[in-house]
Amino acid sequence: MRKILLPALIIIAGSLLVIRVFYLQIIDDSFKLKSENNAIKKQYDYPERGYIYDRNGKLLVANQASYDIMVIPRDIKEDLNVDEFCTLLNITKEDYEKRIAKAKVYSPRLPSVFLAQLNKSEFAAFQEKIRKFEGFYFQKRSLRDYEVDYGANIFGFITQVTEKLIAKNPYYNSGDLIGQQGVEQSYEEVLRGIKGVKYIQKDKYNREIGSYKDGKYDTIAVAGEDINLTIDGELQKYGQELMINKRGGIVAIEPKTGEILALVTAPSFDPGILVGRQRSKNYTLLYHDSIAKPLYDRGLLAEYPPGSPFKLLTGLVALQEGVIDENNFTVTCHHGFSYARGRFMRCHCSGGQLQLHRGIYQSCNTYFATAYMRTINKYTNPSASVDVWSSHLKSFGLGEFMGYDLPTGKRGKIPTSKTYKRMYPNGGWRSTAIVSNAIGQGEVVMTPIQLANMMATIANQGYYYTPHIIKKIEGKTIDKKFTTKHTTTIDQKYFPPIISGLFDVYNMGTASRLRVDGIDICGKTGTAENFAKIGGKRVQLEDHSIFVAFAPKDNPKIAIAIMIENGGFGASVAGPIASLMIEKYLRRKITRTDLETRVLNKSLASEYAKLGGMSEASKIESVPKDSVLQAKIAKPKVPAATNTKTEVKKTAVDTTKKN
C-alpha cells in the first residue's frame, strides 16, 4: 500500500495540473486579457456621474460632454506635423514637448492624458483631422455642469487621479476623474458608476481589426446613482447672498432628523470655475489665497470661542449637578462690572438680582460665572469636577469629530483635568482661574456646526442625530448612524427653563429688535474677542459676532448658528441673519425687509483690509474685487443635446417614482 501511495499522489497532482492548463489554454482564455499582450487594446466607456438634487428635488449638479486627447508615445509617427497639431489644439510647441515627455515617463506604450477636458466646440476642429495624428485618440468623458452658482463647499469638485492613487486603487487609470472635497469625495463610489470595457483586437501592424472574441468579454458602462442632499437650495442661496462682503459660516439643521439644511461659508465662489481647462489655474489661485481663504469651509473647520451661547451649557450642567435651581438660586450683579467670587468680570446686563430666566435673556456673565464656579467647587478636588463638567459637554458631541458625512472637520476643544495639569504643572489652580469657560471663552473652542448641533439638541430637549448631508441615494439606504439617536447626560426636565429663557431673548432680551411676527424664535446672542498678529504684534480687532437660534419654540423645524468674523456684537450682524434665514425657511418669504436691507448693505471689507492686501482669488477672471462669491468665469456650457438628455433623465426618474 505504501509503495503505491506516493506514485498515486504524483499521478493525481500531475493530472490536475494538466486539466487546469488545458482549461486555461483551450477553454478559458480570459487570463489573456490580464496580460501585457500588445495585440489587445482596452477601450473604456466612462459612465455619467450621478446627478445631485436638493431635498426638494431641485437639480443642482448635472453633466456635460467633455473630451480628453489621449496619447500612446510609442505609436507617434516621426513625420507627425507638430505645428498643425499645436495650432488645432491652441497650444505651443513647448507645451507639446513637455506633455509628450511626461507621457513617456508614465509609459511609452500605455495611453495617458495629453490634453484634458476639451468642450464640444474645442474638440470639433481636432476631430476632423484626428486620423492624421497616429498615436493620438480621444476619450469621451462627462464633466460636471452646475445648475446653480452656490454651494461650492458642499459639492466639492472632480479632478484627475494622481499616480499615487492609481497605484493604490485598481479601479482608476491615468486620466480618470475622481471627486475631491464635499459630497463628490464622500460619495465618490456612489456617484462614479461603473466603467464599461471593450477589448479591441489588433494585427501585427498595430491596426485595429475588430472586437476581441466578438465582444465576449466586453462590459457596458453603468451610470452613477443619483443622490438627494438634505440641503434646501433656496435657503443655501439666500444664506450666501446675506454673507457677501463678510467672512464666517452659517449652519442650519433640522433638529428632529439631524439633516443639514444649509452649510454656508464666506467668502465662497461659483463652483463652475472649477470645470474645464481653466480648473487648475483657478484652483491654484483659490488655494494660494491666504487672505480670504475661499476654500476653507468656515462652517466645518473654523474653531472659535463660542462666547455667550455657551452659557446655555453652563446652566444645564449646573442644573444637572444640583448646584443651582431654576427659581431659588439668585445672583446679584452690579452695573458695569460684576464681582464673581474674588474675580472681576465685565457684564453688560442691567444688574440687580437675577435668577436663571433673566440670566439667560439678559446674558448675565455674573450669573453663569457663579454657576460654573459652584459646579467646579462641588468636589474637593477641582480636577474631578472639571472631568464631570467635561463629560456632560461631550455628550452633546463637543470636543470630538462629529461623524458627519463630509470629508473635512475639526474637533473643537473641551478642556479636561489633563488640560489644566499641563497648564499648571505645580497645581494650585482653582475655579477662579478657569472661570472664563463659563461664558464661552477660556479654553473652550467650537465650530459653527457644533454650535448648530448644540441648539438642535436643546430644541429636542436632550437628544440629537448626527448631522448629515445625504437624504436619499437612488436604490440604496443611507448609513444607519444618521438615524441613531444620541441622548445627552442632562435630564430632560432641565431643558424647558433654558428654552423659556431663550424665547425671552427675543421678547425682552438682547435680540428683542430681531423679532419676526408670527414666529416664536428662541435665540442667544454671542460676542467673542478677536486677536490677530499684524506686523509681528498681537492686535485686538473687532469682536466676532455670534448668534444661535431655533424655531418655532414648539415643535422646532430649524436650528441655526451664525458666526461672522469681525462682526461686532451678536445682535448687530449675526442676529439679523438668523432671523432672516429662519423666516426664509419657514415661510419662503421675508417680511423683515428692514433687516434684509441692513444685512445686504453691511460690508466688513474695511475690517478685513487690516489683515492684508488684495486677495489672490480676485485675480480670477471677472471676479469683482469686493466679493469672491461673485467669481464667475466662462465655464463650459451644456450643448442643447445634453440639456435634452438632462430633461429626459429627470423625466425618467419622475416616471419611475410614479410607477
mmCIF file of all heavy atoms in Angstrom, residues 394-434:
data_model
loop_
_atom_site.group_PDB
_atom_site.id
_atom_site.type_symbol
_atom_site.label_atom_id
_atom_site.label_comp_id
_atom_site.label_asym_id
_atom_site.label_seq_id
_atom_site.Cartn_x
_atom_site.Cartn_y
_atom_site.Cartn_z
ATOM 1 N N LYS A 394 -19.330 66.679 26.464
ATOM 2 C CA LYS A 394 -19.027 65.758 25.362
ATOM 3 C C LYS A 394 -20.246 64.934 24.962
ATOM 4 O O LYS A 394 -20.306 64.415 23.840
ATOM 5 C CB LYS A 394 -17.853 64.857 25.749
ATOM 6 C CG LYS A 394 -16.529 65.614 25.777
ATOM 7 C CD LYS A 394 -15.344 64.731 26.135
ATOM 8 C CE LYS A 394 -14.052 65.538 26.091
ATOM 9 N NZ LYS A 394 -12.864 64.734 26.466
ATOM 10 N N SER A 395 -21.222 64.825 25.842
ATOM 11 C CA SER A 395 -22.443 64.103 25.472
ATOM 12 C C SER A 395 -23.271 64.892 24.456
ATOM 13 O O SER A 395 -24.193 64.350 23.852
ATOM 14 C CB SER A 395 -23.293 63.795 26.719
ATOM 15 O OG SER A 395 -23.937 64.958 27.226
ATOM 16 N N PHE A 396 -22.916 66.172 24.255
ATOM 17 C CA PHE A 396 -23.535 66.991 23.213
ATOM 18 C C PHE A 396 -22.769 66.890 21.888
ATOM 19 O O PHE A 396 -23.097 67.599 20.939
ATOM 20 C CB PHE A 396 -23.572 68.456 23.651
ATOM 21 C CG PHE A 396 -24.626 68.776 24.677
ATOM 22 C CD1 PHE A 396 -24.436 68.453 26.019
ATOM 23 C CD2 PHE A 396 -25.808 69.394 24.315
ATOM 24 C CE1 PHE A 396 -25.397 68.750 26.973
ATOM 25 C CE2 PHE A 396 -26.778 69.702 25.260
ATOM 26 C CZ PHE A 396 -26.576 69.370 26.591
ATOM 27 N N GLY A 397 -21.757 66.029 21.835
ATOM 28 C CA GLY A 397 -20.966 65.885 20.621
ATOM 29 C C GLY A 397 -19.836 66.888 20.519
ATOM 30 O O GLY A 397 -19.276 67.079 19.432
ATOM 31 N N LEU A 398 -19.477 67.534 21.621
ATOM 32 C CA LEU A 398 -18.440 68.562 21.602
ATOM 33 C C LEU A 398 -17.065 67.966 21.909
ATOM 34 O O LEU A 398 -16.954 66.937 22.572
ATOM 35 C CB LEU A 398 -18.764 69.653 22.622
ATOM 36 C CG LEU A 398 -20.133 70.317 22.475
ATOM 37 C CD1 LEU A 398 -20.321 71.382 23.531
ATOM 38 C CD2 LEU A 398 -20.317 70.896 21.084
ATOM 39 N N GLY A 399 -16.041 68.638 21.404
ATOM 40 C CA GLY A 399 -14.672 68.200 21.673
ATOM 41 C C GLY A 399 -14.250 66.971 20.890
ATOM 42 O O GLY A 399 -13.171 66.426 21.117
ATOM 43 N N GLU A 400 -15.084 66.515 19.948
ATOM 44 C CA GLU A 400 -14.785 65.333 19.136
ATOM 45 C C GLU A 400 -15.249 65.579 17.703
ATOM 46 O O GLU A 400 -16.093 66.440 17.447
ATOM 47 C CB GLU A 400 -15.504 64.089 19.687
ATOM 48 C CG GLU A 400 -15.145 63.725 21.114
ATOM 49 C CD GLU A 400 -13.723 63.199 21.253
ATOM 50 O OE1 GLU A 400 -13.126 62.843 20.209
ATOM 51 O OE2 GLU A 400 -13.218 63.130 22.389
ATOM 52 N N PHE A 401 -14.707 64.774 16.761
ATOM 53 C CA PHE A 401 -15.247 64.806 15.409
ATOM 54 C C PHE A 401 -16.695 64.322 15.464
ATOM 55 O O PHE A 401 -17.009 63.349 16.148
ATOM 56 C CB PHE A 401 -14.430 63.913 14.473
ATOM 57 C CG PHE A 401 -13.050 64.441 14.206
ATOM 58 C CD1 PHE A 401 -11.935 63.753 14.637
ATOM 59 C CD2 PHE A 401 -12.866 65.633 13.535
ATOM 60 C CE1 PHE A 401 -10.664 64.238 14.397
ATOM 61 C CE2 PHE A 401 -11.598 66.137 13.293
ATOM 62 C CZ PHE A 401 -10.493 65.438 13.723
ATOM 63 N N MET A 402 -17.559 64.981 14.738
ATOM 64 C CA MET A 402 -18.984 64.714 14.888
ATOM 65 C C MET A 402 -19.469 63.516 14.086
ATOM 66 O O MET A 402 -20.557 63.005 14.315
ATOM 67 C CB MET A 402 -19.792 65.958 14.508
ATOM 68 C CG MET A 402 -19.483 67.164 15.381
ATOM 69 S SD MET A 402 -20.701 68.474 15.199
ATOM 70 C CE MET A 402 -22.122 67.710 15.950
ATOM 71 N N GLY A 403 -18.693 63.065 13.108
ATOM 72 C CA GLY A 403 -19.088 61.887 12.348
ATOM 73 C C GLY A 403 -20.005 62.158 11.190
ATOM 74 O O GLY A 403 -20.624 61.241 10.646
ATOM 75 N N TYR A 404 -20.138 63.437 10.780
ATOM 76 C CA TYR A 404 -20.993 63.746 9.639
ATOM 77 C C TYR A 404 -20.341 63.271 8.346
ATOM 78 O O TYR A 404 -19.164 62.885 8.319
ATOM 79 C CB TYR A 404 -21.316 65.243 9.577
ATOM 80 C CG TYR A 404 -20.126 66.155 9.730
ATOM 81 C CD1 TYR A 404 -19.194 66.306 8.726
ATOM 82 C CD2 TYR A 404 -19.940 66.892 10.899
ATOM 83 C CE1 TYR A 404 -18.107 67.143 8.866
ATOM 84 C CE2 TYR A 404 -18.858 67.736 11.049
ATOM 85 C CZ TYR A 404 -17.945 67.865 10.025
ATOM 86 O OH TYR A 404 -16.864 68.703 10.163
ATOM 87 N N ASP A 405 -21.101 63.294 7.256
ATOM 88 C CA ASP A 405 -20.663 62.682 6.002
ATOM 89 C C ASP A 405 -20.026 63.679 5.039
ATOM 90 O O ASP A 405 -20.308 63.662 3.842
ATOM 91 C CB ASP A 405 -21.822 61.964 5.321
ATOM 92 C CG ASP A 405 -23.056 62.849 5.173
ATOM 93 O OD1 ASP A 405 -23.147 63.882 5.863
ATOM 94 O OD2 ASP A 405 -23.937 62.499 4.378
ATOM 95 N N LEU A 406 -19.164 64.520 5.554
ATOM 96 C CA LEU A 406 -18.345 65.388 4.727
ATOM 97 C C LEU A 406 -16.895 65.147 5.116
ATOM 98 O O LEU A 406 -16.604 64.842 6.283
ATOM 99 C CB LEU A 406 -18.742 66.860 4.917
ATOM 100 C CG LEU A 406 -20.064 67.242 4.249
ATOM 101 C CD1 LEU A 406 -20.555 68.594 4.754
ATOM 102 C CD2 LEU A 406 -19.937 67.268 2.731
ATOM 103 N N PRO A 407 -15.972 65.266 4.162
ATOM 104 C CA PRO A 407 -14.607 64.791 4.412
ATOM 105 C C PRO A 407 -13.724 65.701 5.248
ATOM 106 O O PRO A 407 -12.559 65.390 5.448
ATOM 107 C CB PRO A 407 -14.044 64.654 2.989
ATOM 108 C CG PRO A 407 -14.785 65.647 2.172
ATOM 109 C CD PRO A 407 -16.165 65.704 2.762
ATOM 110 N N THR A 408 -14.241 66.806 5.740
ATOM 111 C CA THR A 408 -13.394 67.730 6.479
ATOM 112 C C THR A 408 -14.070 68.139 7.772
ATOM 113 O O THR A 408 -15.299 68.130 7.867
ATOM 114 C CB THR A 408 -13.075 68.974 5.614
ATOM 115 O OG1 THR A 408 -12.111 69.782 6.256
ATOM 116 C CG2 THR A 408 -14.327 69.808 5.370
ATOM 117 N N GLY A 409 -13.292 68.491 8.769
ATOM 118 C CA GLY A 409 -13.875 68.898 10.042
ATOM 119 C C GLY A 409 -12.812 69.086 11.104
ATOM 120 O O GLY A 409 -11.644 68.737 10.915
ATOM 121 N N LYS A 410 -13.212 69.650 12.224
ATOM 122 C CA LYS A 410 -12.329 69.860 13.370
ATOM 123 C C LYS A 410 -13.039 69.418 14.642
ATOM 124 O O LYS A 410 -14.272 69.418 14.719
ATOM 125 C CB LYS A 410 -11.937 71.331 13.483
ATOM 126 C CG LYS A 410 -10.955 71.816 12.415
ATOM 127 C CD LYS A 410 -9.566 71.221 12.627
ATOM 128 C CE LYS A 410 -8.536 71.764 11.630
ATOM 129 N NZ LYS A 410 -8.224 73.176 11.868
ATOM 130 N N ARG A 411 -12.244 69.071 15.642
ATOM 131 C CA ARG A 411 -12.785 68.567 16.901
ATOM 132 C C ARG A 411 -13.369 69.671 17.783
ATOM 133 O O ARG A 411 -14.269 69.421 18.579
ATOM 134 C CB ARG A 411 -11.676 67.879 17.713
ATOM 135 C CG ARG A 411 -11.175 66.577 17.140
ATOM 136 C CD ARG A 411 -10.013 66.080 17.999
ATOM 137 N NE ARG A 411 -9.471 64.814 17.530
ATOM 138 C CZ ARG A 411 -9.874 63.613 17.933
ATOM 139 N NH1 ARG A 411 -10.828 63.528 18.842
ATOM 140 N NH2 ARG A 411 -9.337 62.515 17.462
ATOM 141 N N GLY A 412 -12.842 70.895 17.666
ATOM 142 C CA GLY A 412 -13.111 71.876 18.695
ATOM 143 C C GLY A 412 -12.310 71.484 19.930
ATOM 144 O O GLY A 412 -11.433 70.613 19.878
ATOM 145 N N LYS A 413 -12.619 72.082 21.070
ATOM 146 C CA LYS A 413 -11.882 71.738 22.289
ATOM 147 C C LYS A 413 -12.751 71.943 23.519
ATOM 148 O O LYS A 413 -13.332 73.017 23.711
ATOM 149 C CB LYS A 413 -10.614 72.580 22.408
ATOM 150 C CG LYS A 413 -9.741 72.196 23.603
ATOM 151 C CD LYS A 413 -8.470 73.023 23.660
ATOM 152 C CE LYS A 413 -7.616 72.632 24.857
ATOM 153 N NZ LYS A 413 -6.376 73.453 24.962
ATOM 154 N N ILE A 414 -12.844 70.907 24.329
ATOM 155 C CA ILE A 414 -13.456 70.970 25.646
ATOM 156 C C ILE A 414 -12.378 70.536 26.636
ATOM 157 O O ILE A 414 -11.939 69.384 26.606
ATOM 158 C CB ILE A 414 -14.689 70.055 25.756
ATOM 159 C CG1 ILE A 414 -15.765 70.480 24.757
ATOM 160 C CG2 ILE A 414 -15.222 70.070 27.177
ATOM 161 C CD1 ILE A 414 -16.316 71.869 24.974
ATOM 162 N N PRO A 415 -11.907 71.440 27.497
ATOM 163 C CA PRO A 415 -10.794 71.092 28.387
ATOM 164 C C PRO A 415 -11.185 70.047 29.426
ATOM 165 O O PRO A 415 -12.348 69.925 29.820
ATOM 166 C CB PRO A 415 -10.451 72.432 29.043
ATOM 167 C CG PRO A 415 -11.708 73.236 28.964
ATOM 168 C CD PRO A 415 -12.373 72.820 27.688
ATOM 169 N N THR A 416 -10.195 69.292 29.858
ATOM 170 C CA THR A 416 -10.351 68.310 30.934
ATOM 171 C C THR A 416 -9.307 68.608 32.004
ATOM 172 O O THR A 416 -8.530 69.560 31.883
ATOM 173 C CB THR A 416 -10.153 66.880 30.405
ATOM 174 O OG1 THR A 416 -8.785 66.740 29.954
ATOM 175 C CG2 THR A 416 -11.088 66.574 29.238
ATOM 176 N N SER A 417 -9.263 67.781 33.023
ATOM 177 C CA SER A 417 -8.263 67.976 34.080
ATOM 178 C C SER A 417 -6.848 67.876 33.518
ATOM 179 O O SER A 417 -5.929 68.558 33.992
ATOM 180 C CB SER A 417 -8.469 66.946 35.192
ATOM 181 O OG SER A 417 -8.313 65.623 34.686
ATOM 182 N N LYS A 418 -6.667 67.050 32.474
ATOM 183 C CA LYS A 418 -5.337 66.933 31.864
ATOM 184 C C LYS A 418 -4.893 68.267 31.260
ATOM 185 O O LYS A 418 -3.709 68.604 31.280
ATOM 186 C CB LYS A 418 -5.349 65.847 30.789
ATOM 187 C CG LYS A 418 -5.522 64.436 31.314
ATOM 188 C CD LYS A 418 -5.495 63.410 30.178
ATOM 189 C CE LYS A 418 -5.669 62.004 30.710
ATOM 190 N NZ LYS A 418 -5.681 60.991 29.607
ATOM 191 N N THR A 419 -5.854 69.004 30.708
ATOM 192 C CA THR A 419 -5.545 70.320 30.136
ATOM 193 C C THR A 419 -4.911 71.215 31.187
ATOM 194 O O THR A 419 -3.881 71.865 30.947
ATOM 195 C CB THR A 419 -6.823 70.989 29.598
ATOM 196 O OG1 THR A 419 -7.479 70.121 28.688
ATOM 197 C CG2 THR A 419 -6.490 72.309 28.905
ATOM 198 N N TYR A 420 -5.496 71.233 32.377
ATOM 199 C CA TYR A 420 -5.029 72.155 33.411
ATOM 200 C C TYR A 420 -3.805 71.625 34.155
ATOM 201 O O TYR A 420 -3.040 72.415 34.722
ATOM 202 C CB TYR A 420 -6.181 72.491 34.349
ATOM 203 C CG TYR A 420 -7.274 73.204 33.598
ATOM 204 C CD1 TYR A 420 -8.507 72.605 33.366
ATOM 205 C CD2 TYR A 420 -7.047 74.461 33.042
ATOM 206 C CE1 TYR A 420 -9.488 73.253 32.631
ATOM 207 C CE2 TYR A 420 -8.022 75.108 32.294
ATOM 208 C CZ TYR A 420 -9.230 74.499 32.095
ATOM 209 O OH TYR A 420 -10.186 75.135 31.346
ATOM 210 N N LYS A 421 -3.611 70.329 34.136
ATOM 211 C CA LYS A 421 -2.373 69.789 34.699
ATOM 212 C C LYS A 421 -1.177 70.179 33.843
ATOM 213 O O LYS A 421 -0.070 70.376 34.345
ATOM 214 C CB LYS A 421 -2.477 68.273 34.827
ATOM 215 C CG LYS A 421 -3.383 67.825 35.972
ATOM 216 C CD LYS A 421 -3.554 66.317 36.010
ATOM 217 C CE LYS A 421 -4.517 65.920 37.132
ATOM 218 N NZ LYS A 421 -4.770 64.446 37.145
ATOM 219 N N ARG A 422 -1.422 70.282 32.509
ATOM 220 C CA ARG A 422 -0.345 70.756 31.630
ATOM 221 C C ARG A 422 -0.123 72.254 31.811
ATOM 222 O O ARG A 422 1.007 72.732 31.793
ATOM 223 C CB ARG A 422 -0.689 70.450 30.173
ATOM 224 C CG ARG A 422 -0.593 68.984 29.787
ATOM 225 C CD ARG A 422 -0.612 68.807 28.279
ATOM 226 N NE ARG A 422 -1.862 69.289 27.695
ATOM 227 C CZ ARG A 422 -2.931 68.525 27.496
ATOM 228 N NH1 ARG A 422 -2.893 67.242 27.840
ATOM 229 N NH2 ARG A 422 -4.029 69.025 26.951
ATOM 230 N N MET A 423 -1.209 73.006 31.982
ATOM 231 C CA MET A 423 -1.096 74.459 32.125
ATOM 232 C C MET A 423 -0.540 74.858 33.492
ATOM 233 O O MET A 423 0.177 75.865 33.613
ATOM 234 C CB MET A 423 -2.465 75.109 31.919
ATOM 235 C CG MET A 423 -3.005 74.990 30.508
ATOM 236 S SD MET A 423 -4.677 75.682 30.350
ATOM 237 C CE MET A 423 -4.382 77.405 30.739
ATOM 238 N N TYR A 424 -0.888 74.072 34.518
ATOM 239 C CA TYR A 424 -0.441 74.366 35.886
ATOM 240 C C TYR A 424 0.279 73.136 36.448
ATOM 241 O O TYR A 424 -0.266 72.417 37.298
ATOM 242 C CB TYR A 424 -1.631 74.724 36.776
ATOM 243 C CG TYR A 424 -2.444 75.897 36.284
ATOM 244 C CD1 TYR A 424 -3.582 75.704 35.495
ATOM 245 C CD2 TYR A 424 -2.081 77.201 36.608
ATOM 246 C CE1 TYR A 424 -4.340 76.787 35.050
ATOM 247 C CE2 TYR A 424 -2.830 78.286 36.162
ATOM 248 C CZ TYR A 424 -3.958 78.068 35.380
ATOM 249 O OH TYR A 424 -4.702 79.140 34.938
ATOM 250 N N PRO A 425 1.504 72.863 35.987
ATOM 251 C CA PRO A 425 2.209 71.642 36.407
ATOM 252 C C PRO A 425 2.466 71.576 37.913
ATOM 253 O O PRO A 425 2.634 70.487 38.467
ATOM 254 C CB PRO A 425 3.528 71.715 35.624
ATOM 255 C CG PRO A 425 3.690 73.156 35.261
ATOM 256 C CD PRO A 425 2.305 73.681 35.075
ATOM 257 N N ASN A 426 2.461 72.724 38.565
ATOM 258 C CA ASN A 426 2.703 72.742 40.014
ATOM 259 C C ASN A 426 1.402 72.725 40.810
ATOM 260 O O ASN A 426 1.418 72.814 42.041
ATOM 261 C CB ASN A 426 3.523 73.981 40.400
ATOM 262 C CG ASN A 426 4.897 73.967 39.757
ATOM 263 O OD1 ASN A 426 5.523 72.919 39.640
ATOM 264 N ND2 ASN A 426 5.366 75.139 39.338
ATOM 265 N N GLY A 427 0.276 72.630 40.110
ATOM 266 C CA GLY A 427 -1.017 72.575 40.777
ATOM 267 C C GLY A 427 -1.418 73.930 41.338
ATOM 268 O O GLY A 427 -0.905 74.979 40.941
ATOM 269 N N GLY A 428 -2.350 73.905 42.268
ATOM 270 C CA GLY A 428 -2.754 75.137 42.931
ATOM 271 C C GLY A 428 -3.835 75.930 42.221
ATOM 272 O O GLY A 428 -4.227 76.999 42.692
ATOM 273 N N TRP A 429 -4.336 75.432 41.097
ATOM 274 C CA TRP A 429 -5.368 76.189 40.387
ATOM 275 C C TRP A 429 -6.743 75.934 41.013
ATOM 276 O O TRP A 429 -7.014 74.882 41.567
ATOM 277 C CB TRP A 429 -5.371 75.843 38.895
ATOM 278 C CG TRP A 429 -5.609 74.386 38.584
ATOM 279 C CD1 TRP A 429 -4.679 73.389 38.538
ATOM 280 C CD2 TRP A 429 -6.861 73.776 38.288
ATOM 281 N NE1 TRP A 429 -5.267 72.188 38.238
ATOM 282 C CE2 TRP A 429 -6.613 72.398 38.065
ATOM 283 C CE3 TRP A 429 -8.159 74.245 38.177
ATOM 284 C CZ2 TRP A 429 -7.621 71.500 37.750
ATOM 285 C CZ3 TRP A 429 -9.168 73.359 37.865
ATOM 286 C CH2 TRP A 429 -8.899 72.002 37.652
ATOM 287 N N ARG A 430 -7.605 76.932 40.872
ATOM 288 C CA ARG A 430 -8.955 76.861 41.427
ATOM 289 C C ARG A 430 -9.974 77.270 40.359
ATOM 290 O O ARG A 430 -9.608 77.638 39.248
ATOM 291 C CB ARG A 430 -9.078 77.791 42.654
ATOM 292 C CG ARG A 430 -8.190 77.410 43.822
ATOM 293 C CD ARG A 430 -8.686 76.131 44.498
ATOM 294 N NE ARG A 430 -7.890 75.797 45.668
ATOM 295 C CZ ARG A 430 -6.800 75.034 45.659
ATOM 296 N NH1 ARG A 430 -6.374 74.527 44.503
ATOM 297 N NH2 ARG A 430 -6.154 74.773 46.770
ATOM 298 N N SER A 431 -11.232 77.244 40.739
ATOM 299 C CA SER A 431 -12.296 77.590 39.791
ATOM 300 C C SER A 431 -12.148 79.016 39.277
ATOM 301 O O SER A 431 -12.494 79.308 38.130
ATOM 302 C CB SER A 431 -13.665 77.411 40.446
ATOM 303 O OG SER A 431 -13.788 78.258 41.580
ATOM 304 N N THR A 432 -11.625 79.925 40.110
ATOM 305 C CA THR A 432 -11.470 81.311 39.673
ATOM 306 C C THR A 432 -10.463 81.441 38.533
ATOM 307 O O THR A 432 -10.550 82.378 37.735
ATOM 308 C CB THR A 432 -11.018 82.193 40.849
ATOM 309 O OG1 THR A 432 -9.869 81.592 41.466
ATOM 310 C CG2 THR A 432 -12.135 82.370 41.861
ATOM 311 N N ALA A 433 -9.523 80.499 38.439
ATOM 312 C CA ALA A 433 -8.503 80.571 37.387
ATOM 313 C C ALA A 433 -9.060 80.185 36.024
ATOM 314 O O ALA A 433 -8.511 80.583 34.992
ATOM 315 C CB ALA A 433 -7.312 79.672 37.746
ATOM 316 N N ILE A 434 -10.144 79.414 36.017
ATOM 317 C CA ILE A 434 -10.674 78.914 34.743
ATOM 318 C C ILE A 434 -12.118 79.359 34.526
ATOM 319 O O ILE A 434 -12.827 78.801 33.692
ATOM 320 C CB ILE A 434 -10.584 77.373 34.681
ATOM 321 C CG1 ILE A 434 -11.394 76.723 35.798
ATOM 322 C CG2 ILE A 434 -9.131 76.917 34.743
ATOM 323 C CD1 ILE A 434 -11.481 75.200 35.700
#
